[in-house]
């Protein structure tokens, strides 16, 4: 009887083997987005050492005083063979529906202007050549009538230039 069981098992394997060998190959794919920014080593370099660029920056709410606080503690590193200037492409603001909060953007405690014509020098030629770390801050301006409840958001572009 044991021989019969072995023979039947072998026959079953022979019958199943062709079905398994013709099984469809299942394929899954994933998409991976990769990017890199390789700077011109001899050109203008701007970086955030802790990688906060492009990430939401949350202004702290002071519950006791019922005001938005200034965001501090961020650093921007710059380097270039020539002096570096900075300006905003437009006024910095954040909004919640129709309610708007104006923002003062600061580098080394100097307000960055919202026009190229008024750009400020953030590193002279010597500072730029050796590299300079700039303290970055965002200070909200309390609207007339105080802050209105809401979820505020906004985006601004800071432009750095160096004549190399």
């Amino acid at each position: 009887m044991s021989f019969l069981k072995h023979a039947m098992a072998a026959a079953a394997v022979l019958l199943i083997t062709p079905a398994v060998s013709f099984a469809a190959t299942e394929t899954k794919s994933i998409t991976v987005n990769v990017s890199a920014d390789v700077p011109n080593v001899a050109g203008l370099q701007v970086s955030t050492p802790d990688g906060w660029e492009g990430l939401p920056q949350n202004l702290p709410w002071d519950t006791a005083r019922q005001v938005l606080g200034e965001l501090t503690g961020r650093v921007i590193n710059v380097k270039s063979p020539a002096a570096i200037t900075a300006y905003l492409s437009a006024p910095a603001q954040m909004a919640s529906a129709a309610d708007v909060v104006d923002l003062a953007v600061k580098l080394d405690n100097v307000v960055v202007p919202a026009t190229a014509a008024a750009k400020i020098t953030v590193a002279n030629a010597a500072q730029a050549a050796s590299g300079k770390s700039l303290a970055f801050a965002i200070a909200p301006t309390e609207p007339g009538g105080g802050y209105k409840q809401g979820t505020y958001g906004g985006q601004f572009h800071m432009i750095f230039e160096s004549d190399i």
Side-chain angles (χ1 to χ4, degrees):
M1 181 153 246
S2 145
F3 175 75
L4 184 57
K5 285 184 182 179
H6 288 315
M8 288 179 65
V13 167
L14 289 173
L15 288 173
I16 293 174
T17 299
V20 171
S21 66
F22 291 116
T25 301
E26 186 172 335
T27 304
K28 303 270 186 203
S29 67
I30 62 170
T31 301
V32 178
N33 293 317
V34 179
S35 67
D37 186 7
V38 179
N40 175 355
V41 177
L44 174 63
Q45 298 176 43
V46 178
S47 66
T48 56
D50 52 358
W52 58 264
E53 177 187 358
L55 299 176
Q57 301 300 304
N58 296 312
L59 276 71
W61 178 252
D62 184 332
T63 304
R65 295 179 30 227
Q66 297 293 296
V67 296
L68 282 172
E70 186 171 338
L71 173 80
T72 59
R74 304 289 190 265
V75 175
I76 298 174
N77 291 330
V78 294
K79 187 172 183 171
S80 177
I84 302 170
T85 59
Y87 63 93
L88 302 178
S89 61
Q93 298 179 321
M94 60 182 186
S96 176
D99 299 315
V100 175
V101 174
D102 292 321
L103 305 171
V105 178
K106 300 176 187 177
L107 291 172
D108 282 351
N109 211 28
V110 176
V111 174
V112 180
T115 65
K119 62 187 167 187
I120 59 170
T121 299
V122 295
N124 63 35
Q127 294 168 327
S130 62
K132 183 176 179 185
S133 293
L134 305 169
F136 173 77
I138 302 171
T141 302
E142 186 171 349
Y147 293 103
K148 304 283 191 281
Q149 185 275 329
T151 302
Y152 289 78
Q155 182 180 67
F156 59 88
H157 300 280
M158 193 166 11
I159 313 298
F160 292 91
E161 294 179 340
S162 183
D163 293 328
I164 44 178

